[in-house]
């Protein structure tokens, strides 16, 4: 389990590093063409696959800087559950957030950014503490609420150019992952012993 956690944490770091490499390349050399190619464009059936690439794209370096710390912190907290759970959680969040953005954004609008994942990890850690009822999960839940609790307001429409759809459906995707994925083995054994997440340019 320890090795799985370490690998999951390294995966989070690798994902963030990839975002930085992509954004530096896109900002300094390609002038935003990667965003246009790999961002998620609402109601574009042929580009629906870009829900898997859009989280790695960002509108500019400032956008990426704003997402980097919460992505790293919340991603690492999810990674404590192990590599397999982290990857499944991430996939569920990406799909739920991506479909939500694709359906509920203005037709042809372009959405990029890792905020869907950030809000998804936030939703996962909060609900997981309630479901698992293990000390470590409850402590993580409390810390996340204390430090990032105000994020919840981001699921509401507030600022032009900010994809509240990615925030809302990312959050729902994270909660869905927390509910869907089974409790960890230790919890199952304990229970048995007692008997039983007009075109525009959106940057989440």
């Amino acid at each position: 389990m320890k090795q799985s956690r370490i690998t999951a944490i390294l995966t989070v770091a690798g994902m963030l590093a990839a975002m930085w490499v992509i954004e530096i390349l896109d900002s300094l050399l390609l002038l935003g063409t990667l965003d246009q190619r790999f961002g998620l464009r609402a109601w574009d059936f042929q580009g629906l696959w870009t829900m898997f690439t859009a989280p790695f794209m960002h509108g500019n370096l400032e956008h990426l800087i704003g997402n980097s710390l919460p992505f790293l912190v919340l991603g690492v907290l999810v990674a404590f559950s192990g590599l397999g759970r982290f990857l499944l959680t991430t996939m569920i969040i990406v799909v739920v957030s991506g479909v939500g953005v694709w359906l509920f954004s203005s037709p042809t609008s372009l959405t990029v950014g890792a905020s869907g994942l950030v809000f998804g990890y936030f939703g996962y850690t909060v609900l997981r503490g309630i479901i698992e009822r293990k000390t470590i999960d409850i402590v993580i839940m409390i810390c996340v609420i204390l430090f990032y609790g105000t994020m919840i307001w981001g699921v509401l429409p507030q600022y032009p150019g900010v994809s509240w759809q990615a925030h809302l459906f990312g959050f729902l995707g994270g909660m869905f992952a927390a509910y869907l994925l089974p409790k960890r083995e230790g919890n199952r054994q304990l229970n048995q012993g007692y008997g039983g997440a007009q075109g525009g340019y959106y940057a989440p």
Side-chain angles (χ1 to χ4, degrees):
M1 184 61 178
K2 181 179 179 181
Q3 184 61 43
S4 178
R5 288 175 178 170
I6 294 174
T7 305
I9 292 171
L10 292 177
T11 300
V12 175
M15 291 172 65
L16 182 59
M19 293 176 192
W20 273 92
V21 170
I22 290 170
E23 185 53 39
I24 291 173
L25 178 64
D26 196 35
S27 296
L28 300 182
L29 299 177
L30 300 178
L31 304 179
T33 56
L34 290 181
D35 289 344
Q36 296 295 325
R37 180 69 181 91
F38 297 103
L40 178 59
R41 198 171 294 278
W43 293 93
D44 178 7
F45 286 94
Q46 292 184 340
L48 191 56
W49 58 271
T50 56
M51 71 170 68
F52 298 104
T53 57
F56 291 90
M57 307 294 123
H58 287 81
N60 49 49
L61 286 173
E62 183 180 359
H63 181 204
L64 176 56
I65 291 171
N67 277 339
S68 292
L69 183 59
F71 175 84
L72 183 62
V73 172
L74 294 172
V76 166
L77 291 178
V78 176
F80 284 150
S81 297
L83 179 61
R85 188 178 294 271
F86 170 76
L87 294 177
L88 285 173
T89 298
T90 299
M91 184 62 64
I92 291 171
I93 294 169
V94 166
V95 171
V96 174
S97 177
V99 171
V101 168
W102 190 86
L103 280 175
F104 293 99
S105 298
S106 300
T108 74
S109 61
L110 186 70
T111 299
V112 296
S115 287
L117 281 173
V118 171
F119 274 78
Y121 294 153
F122 172 68
Y124 175 90
T125 52
V126 170
L127 187 59
R128 202 68 194 171
I130 298 173
I131 292 176
E132 289 284 351
R133 297 182 182 178
K134 294 182 67 174
T135 302
I136 182 62
D137 293 297
I138 294 174
V139 170
I140 288 174
M141 177 187 70
I142 293 173
C143 290
V144 166
I145 292 175
L146 287 176
F147 285 97
Y148 292 102
T150 56
M151 280 179 51
I152 193 64
W153 300 113
V155 303
L156 301 175
Q158 297 184 68
Y159 307 106
V162 176
S163 178
W164 62 270
Q165 295 93 335
H167 297 175
L168 173 60
F169 288 98
F171 180 73
L172 293 177
M175 295 186 73
F176 180 64
Y179 176 79
L180 180 67
L181 297 178
K183 289 187 177 182
R184 291 194 281 273
E185 186 65 28
N187 281 14
R188 290 198 296 267
Q189 291 176 351
L190 180 62
N191 290 337
Q192 290 170 2
Y194 282 92
Q198 171 181 10
Y201 189 85
Y202 291 92

